[in-house]
Amino acid sequence: GGAEATAAAAAAVVELWAAEATPERLPLRFAGSLAPLAAKELQHFVRVHVQPLLQNYSWDLKDKLESIGLPVAVLWANFSDANSTNTTEKAVEAFRRLCDSRRGTEPRKHVLCTVKDEAYAYYQREYGTHEPYPYPYFGLAKKLGFGEGDRFGYPFKEPVNKTVHSFFRGAKRAARELSAWVARVLSGRVPPSHESGNLPAQAAWVRGQVQEIVWKTYQKEINGSTADVLLEFYDDQRKKSYIADATMRIVAATLKDYSNLKVARMEVSQNYVPPVFGRKQFSKETEYYWVPPSIASGEETPEDPIRYTGELPATPAALLKFLKKHSLSHWSIKEALEVADDLSAEVMGQANVDQREVDRADEEKQQMIKKMMTTLKKEKGLVDVGEMMGLKKAADAMGVEKEPDKNKEVRGPTKPAAPPGAREEPKAAQPKEKKKDKKSAKQQAAEKEEEERRREERRLKLQKEEAKMKELERKEKEKRKKRKEEDKKRKELKKKQEAEAQAREAKERERKRKKREEERAMAPAIATFSWGQSKESVRLSVSVPKLRSSSLNVTLLDDKVAVRARDVRNRSYSLEFELREFVVPSNSSWALRYSEENPLNPEPDGVSLSLQKSVAHRWDRLAQNHSAVKPFMKKDWVQDDGELEEEKEDIDLPSGANLKKVSAAALRKLAASTLMVVAALRFPWCDKCGEKDRELAKAARTSKDKDHLGAVAWAVVDAREEKYLARTHNYSCSDRCELLIFKQDEPAEPYVVQGRRYAEEIQIDCYKHLLPVVSEVEDKGMLDRVTSAFDTAIVGFFRGSKGEDTWYPRFRAVARQLRGHALFGATFGGRKPRDFGLEHGTEEEIDGEAIEAPDDDTGGGGGGDDAARPLVLLFKPRESRHVEFTGDLTLDRLTHFSRVLSLPLLSTYDFETRQKYQELKVPLGMLWLDGENEAFEDNQLAKTVLRRLALRFSGHLVFVMLNSTRDGILMRPMGLDPRRVPTFGIAATDELESEKFGFDMQTQRPEERRAFWADQDRAFDRLESFCASFLDGTLEASHESAELPPTYRWRGPGTIHEVVWKTFRESVYRTEHHVLLELYSPFRPQHRTYITVLDLVAEALKDVTDLKVARMDTANNYVLPEFGLTDKEKASTFYFLPAAPERHRRPR
């Protein structure tokens, strides 16, 4: 029945076992309709799948594949190249994989495949390649055959002949990439390919040259350019090629300084020309077009190009006027024409010489060919068919011989002539003679007389006519002579009138020229100048001929120079431009420059300027806008420091993944839209940050994989181009290599952090700045999180609101300075600690000892209202304590207090904590312990005293413990002996050049030191007084000093007084004697000899009782700067100090 037939049809399938299909795809199932049967679809299905995967191309195959109607993938392979056998096999394998995966019946998904050998290499031109043709090469065509259908060439990297070998190295990867590209082509996302020449084998295009374009680069360089483009289309076989090339070179050189103009050309016989230009196919004419600029780089031009329709061959002036007429950019056609005119003499002169040589060579070649053909025709009897055809045409043009006239009587043959000497009688003589005989003699006489009369009449008539003709001729001759004279007079008059008109025109032109010259001479002019530089300064010499000095006005700013003046004719001269970098106006100067023509009475002819550079280094150019002042500037090699080395301008700014170069404006936008921006300002000439910048690039690259750092933006700014941004943030070329961290909630206040040696340290700095600068505390839970999340937390309890409280900006400023060292919180509205469950008093208990809040010597409230003063508490969760800040609530005092208390009460000095001390710049109270015996009793006693000191001076000093064995070298600048420990000293900061203060225990033996530390109250009192003196600023700095034996005493005149720094003032400055002092190095050659010589000098002067001879070792003792000893390793230096009070003693 019908239902059973329908069910059977639904269950039926059609499968095809194709011999060319891979086993993975077999069997091939027909997806079309079977009830009713789609016969055409089934036929198409079979025709497609019975085709071999790969077929060699032929004309028969072309017709067969076009009848199927699918796109065709083409692989060009050179099987005869033995050197590329492996690459060819890999390419064929990849092509086979592609064809197998893309076999089907859908035109939008599937393709057929064919292979072409080198015989069809010329077909590659339509796919965008050119000679030498690459092998293997891949493309896709909608139709086969040359010049039919769209072509799509695979975009191999240049140079294709080399990159195809690496592309087809892996067959699977190559097949995958080819398949993805085919999918984009079939979906219409890839534009068709066109014929294109090879990329020009030239260096990178520079402004001032004609840019060579091929179709592959047309879209980027012409259609996507934001500049006005003058484009030339030419054929490489054109005539007068040298002249045309020189014309374009002149135009390009003329427009060199205009960045918004470009001159380019494209050869048309090897490149596709878009239809928008309207150029005839196969035309060999040279054409010029103006191509309007794109709105943005890479976009297509918004308007169609405009063709040059002027006179050909075009001249540089005509092309410049054409470009000026249509260009959207602002530039001076007058200046351009002047520059082009200056260049034409040299460039066109050489081009004409070259063109004449080429034309002469071509002419000689043609003459040689003609001579050779003539010789062949003569020797071989050859006939020039073209020449024969030319003669026949000439004969036809001149006409052929005329036929004879039929009406003309045809004479018969004449009789032979008579013999020589015989008279030939007329033919009818005998009949006439007979008639004459019949006439009478009278009649004959009458006839003869009549005949004579007629002859006479005829003669007279002819004479009259002849006379008449002569008269007419004479009259005509006179008329002609008269006309000639009149014409001559008329011409002379006309010539005279023309000469007078020309004279008047010349006079008028001369008058106008002089007027223009006068106007030009009086028109405001830009002063010309020359410049040179040294490492520290820039020198300019501005020329103003016949300067009127009273009119001179010179303006020197840190970023600009302006000179305005007038000459004796009152003509205005001016020069104003922005400097490339900053200068120091206060250290810069200017002076009048005088002419050398009359040395006895010099006249000012300009001004000389000396500009002190803000940063001492070589500038790459003088003006920021170099092209604007280039026509008026020249280099002064006399003023230029020739020994100043060229700085490296090729130092690359940091770059890499996730790190981009931005301008100042782009940085502001990025900081406003991004949570955090890490920006590196770098000078291209500064090479001090190479290693740290590599770590910066690494930190930017790896930050995406770090928690909370994925949203951080990384940027680098050229500080020379963005000099105002660099000055705003005080950036300079130093080995600190500072980084700026911009926060979205603080866009105008970037943080400055030092460059790091490791990428992880940079990322740690980012983590430190992620949280808000001050966290608002709303409840007890928030307070607990703030006070426990960091080693140090500082919370301010403010009486007013956040926007109105006048104390909060100071608190916030301290929080910014201590980023990463302490966590800051704030509560507003007069809330107190008890509102958060916190009991607070003026004292806190730690291990049974009372901690007083830090004293303040100045008192007061820092200039604010004490009633509105906030309560500031510092929390130390690890030490289970908090301290109230009760001093003068100024920015400096609060910052110092917070920095000190951000560190532990007591800590051990090591490398990691040292870096933190250096960053915070806090004063350190340093206790050196015996490193060889850590359980030494004196160590424990000293620690107890140090703890009491730490509690006493909490918020003022940071106390650390050091190992005398490991850290003994730090004792030398304080004048302490590493063998006498425990001992104490203070450093203003943990930096090499900071002031050091060593505590003199006034003990020599170990028993005395033990007794000092055992009496803890006495030791605490002395150390407390020492620390208080440091804080008051009344403590004298210590210096490195050697030690003298405790029993040493000077024995008087005749002996040497040995001096060390500790005894220097007492022995040298406070003595009543004149002093002869030797400062010596103990490492000098023949040291013992020098010692003996000075001993002999002292002995010889023993009778001079008011003179003391002393000496001091410079290697182990500090030397006062007033002695001017720059080289402490110098063998020996002698000074004489006459007797005087201490403050008046001066070494000589």
Side-chain angles (χ1 to χ4, degrees), residues 74-78 116-139 145-147 151-154 156 160-161 164 193-198 216 270:
V74 184
L75 177 71
W76 280 268
N78 187 0
K116 294 184 178 182
D117 57 16
E118 59 271 23
Y120 296 97
Y122 188 80
Y123 283 47
Q124 289 189 27
R125 293 171 64 97
E126 293 187 321
Y127 293 80
T129 68
H130 210 273
E131 293 181 306
Y133 299 111
Y135 293 100
Y137 185 74
F138 177 78
F146 190 77
R151 303 286 191 266
F152 302 89
Y154 186 81
F156 294 101
V160 182
N161 277 312
V164 291
S193 300
H194 296 286
E195 181 178 0
S196 174
N198 291 329
K216 290 181 180 179
Q270 300 179 5

Side-chain angles (χ1 to χ4, degrees), residues 44 133 252 329 363 457 478 923 968 1010 1015 1081 1089 1100:
H44 183 60
Y133 299 111
S329 306
E363 184 179 356
E457 291 177 356
E478 289 178 354
R1010 185 173 294 108
D1015 189 353
S1081 170
T1089 302

Side-chain angles (χ1 to χ4, degrees), residues 415-431:
K415 70 177 182 177
R423 180 181 177 183
E424 184 177 356
E425 295 182 359
K427 180 180 179 182
Q430 293 178 356

